[in-house]
Amino acid sequence: MFVWLILAGIYYFFIAYPLLRFEVIKKLPVPKWNLAAVSVIYLIAGVFIYSAVSSEQFVYYWDYGKYYQQALDLADQYDMDAFSVLEHVYATSINSDYGAWIPSMLAWPLQFTQGRFVDYMMLVYVMFAVPAVFSLSMLGMVWFGSHSKYSFVIFHAVILLMPWFMQPMLAGYPGIAAFVPLVCSMWIFYKSGGLCGIANMDALVLSASLIAAALLRRYYCFYLAGFIFGGAGYSICNWRLRRQGKSEFRKYLLAYLKVGMISLLALVMFFNGFIQRVLFVDYSEIYVAYNVGNLFSKYKTFVQHLGILLLAILIVSAVLIVFKHKEYLPLLVFCIVFEITATAYFFYVQSPGVHHYWIFLLPILLLFLFLSDKGKKGLPVYLCALMGMCFLYNTAYVYAGNSLIMLNPYICQRDRYVARHRSDMDELKELDRYLKSIQKEKKIYCLSSSRILNDDILKKLYLPDASSLNLEPVAHVDLRDGFPTGFFDSDIVVTTVPVQTHLQKGTQQVITILQNELTDEHSKIAQHFQEVYSVSLQEGVEAVVYIKKEPFQTEDIQYLQSLYDQSYPDWKELFYHRFEEYLIKSVV
């Protein structure tokens, strides 16, 4: 428990610091009935999450279950050697794009549950989402100077009802954890007047909060880019709006230098591997398979994901600031510059998945909170009521659906939450039983990469129980994973007809070329295998099992080497050289 307290203590420090530092609880008492109402809101949201997730019939593979699996593994590690968990968290923070801080926090309390996916999701909600909502609601109360007795409750409802906030979490993504340090950074940024004359301790905590968010989930590095440029826009606008002089401008510059130097020094001293990966790894090249469409199409998708109703509400919020509440112009500038910067950087690298929209959410939520509090003071009551109804209708459409109005896909958020149900769970279990019956000491390679079948589905079919299948590592992203030479040592191959990929066409040739060679009876590779079993899965996909009849010869490996060298001539280290190394180690 001591190790867990260290990790949790560091994390929850980012909740406690702004509340204590700025004496929020003392200066901003919340009526008791507000606390009771907020507790009811949390309870209702929790019941919804529990009922939605527990009704699913799904295999939580890849990102849906990656952190869930890690939490289960780390729960066992806590029992065996708790301090190794701490070492693992630090090591992955430096060397991996998937740090272990989040699952290590979930792992210890997960031991006291049944270990089901729904238990894991409830822990994500209680440990990460609830504190983030509370801290952001308190920030809204302070930032917008609210004296309404309803604002605290309304802020909670707005955040939890905004589909961008909770929908990715329902899919199994735990990245909402980063909102706690991110909101802490916004507390410090606002209370220091856009960093003008920021205190040394505040600068230290601000740097720590931004670094912590990136360590919790790597994709928040794009948030940091937005925060830096948006913050600069806020500071310049604040400086001009208040008619401050050159001395104050120097304070802003020195504050940014101070925070920047603290952050850089901390990263170089303690997380050198992390900063090197961020600065020198070309993620746009590695993740080219996830990069669909041009910049215009990505922004179009962004707007569609938001929906016309929510976009209209944000525009009203912006107009209200410009014409009625100019004291919030720095906030508006921050939000606009942030969104342009963060989206431009992210879209350069890849297209967004549902969980990546968390990167862009915080400024949007701040504008919604502003309008929730200030709208009644600058807009007619009927217009406020109309916007509230639009917000609620969009939420209902995303979570519950409404097929009566055909314009929904155009005016509401495009992506909806649907409880996941696989119709072929029995067939998957039948495939698993067959593989276990023939496995013995044999190694299995899964030559498929889609939501219908992949190696992770086979691994996680019975979570929280571990799989007994002896599965070899598989490559899914060619320019990230390269060629997996474990294929040559595998005795059993599971593939599909038709071939199954999930990324851009031509970016998963480790799957397509091998599958073509395996199913082409005239191929050098196919001659080494015999089909022994098949089963039909959903959407007309057939899973086929092959057993190796004889080992590969040198010329077989060189044949595949030539195919992949033609496809990836500039990626020798991931392909050509791997074949060479394998041939040197194990020539038949």
Side-chain angles (χ1 to χ4, degrees), residues 300-358:
K300 181 181 178 182
T301 300
F302 181 88
V303 173
Q304 288 174 334
H305 188 75
L306 183 65
I308 293 175
L309 286 180
L310 297 186
L311 179 62
I313 294 173
L314 290 174
I315 292 173
V316 171
S317 181
V319 170
L320 192 61
I321 288 174
V322 171
F323 291 101
K324 292 285 187 179
H325 295 278
K326 292 187 178 180
E327 66 272 24
Y328 292 103
L329 275 174
L331 170 64
L332 181 60
V333 170
F334 170 84
C335 295
I336 293 173
V337 175
F338 176 99
E339 295 296 344
I340 292 172
T341 305
T343 52
Y345 272 103
F346 186 86
F347 293 165
Y348 171 73
V349 174
Q350 69 178 90
S351 303
V354 64
H355 55 302
H356 295 129
Y357 286 97
W358 272 329

Side-chain angles (χ1 to χ4, degrees), residues 3 24 126 130 162 169 184 225 242 262 266 272 283 327 330 343 364 368 426 461 483 528 534 556 564 572:
V3 169
V24 174
V126 172
V130 169
M162 173 63 178
M169 189 173 65
C184 178
R242 297 187 179 188
I262 291 172
N272 193 37
Y283 284 97
E327 66 272 24
T343 52
I364 291 174
F368 277 132
D426 291 338
L461 185 59
F483 188 87
H528 294 272
S534 66
D556 301 318
Y564 282 102
K572 302 286 186 183

Side-chain angles (χ1 to χ4, degrees), residues 21-205:
R21 168 73 173 85
F22 306 119
E23 299 182 326
V24 174
I25 303 297
K26 185 187 297 184
K27 294 180 180 178
L28 194 67
V30 177
K32 291 182 179 179
W33 74 265
N34 267 218
L35 296 176
V38 165
S39 298
V40 171
I41 292 174
Y42 285 140
L43 180 62
I44 292 172
V47 169
F48 169 70
I49 294 170
Y50 185 89
S51 60
V53 175
S54 60
S55 68
E56 292 188 331
Q57 188 178 15
F58 190 67
V59 183
Y60 298 98
Y61 62 93
W62 290 344
D63 285 354
Y64 301 131
K66 184 179 184 67
Y67 283 94
Y68 174 40
Q69 177 71 72
Q70 285 189 23
L72 292 170
D73 295 340
L74 288 168
D76 295 332
Q77 197 170 335
Y78 267 110
D79 291 334
M80 294 183 292
D81 183 2
F83 281 97
S84 68
V85 175
L86 205 57
E87 294 172 358
H88 180 65
V89 170
Y90 181 69
T92 55
S93 296
I94 297 173
N95 302 315
S96 173
D97 290 333
Y98 296 90
W101 190 355
I102 291 175
S104 68
M105 286 183 62
L106 296 166
W108 189 76
L110 191 63
Q111 297 177 90
F112 304 102
T113 70
Q114 297 179 50
R116 301 166 303 170
F117 184 77
V118 68
D119 301 322
Y120 161 82
M121 285 308 308
M122 292 308 298
L123 286 173
V124 171
Y125 172 66
V126 172
M127 293 177 63
F128 303 141
V130 169
V133 176
F134 179 80
S135 185
L136 182 55
S137 296
M138 293 298 287
L139 175 61
M141 296 285 285
V142 172
W143 201 325
F144 304 125
S146 175
H147 300 291
S148 169
K149 59 183 179 181
Y150 302 109
S151 292
F152 189 61
V153 176
I154 293 172
F155 286 175
H156 274 81
V158 167
I159 298 168
L160 284 169
L161 286 172
M162 173 63 178
W164 283 26
F165 185 82
M166 204 157 64
Q167 186 187 3
M169 189 173 65
L170 285 166
Y173 298 102
I176 196 70
F179 267 60
V180 165
L182 291 181
V183 175
C184 178
S185 69
M186 291 304 302
W187 270 104
I188 296 171
F189 183 79
Y190 166 68
K191 294 298 285 187
S192 63
L195 300 190
C196 183
I198 187 173
N200 290 335
M201 186 61 185
D202 288 344
L204 185 64
V205 175

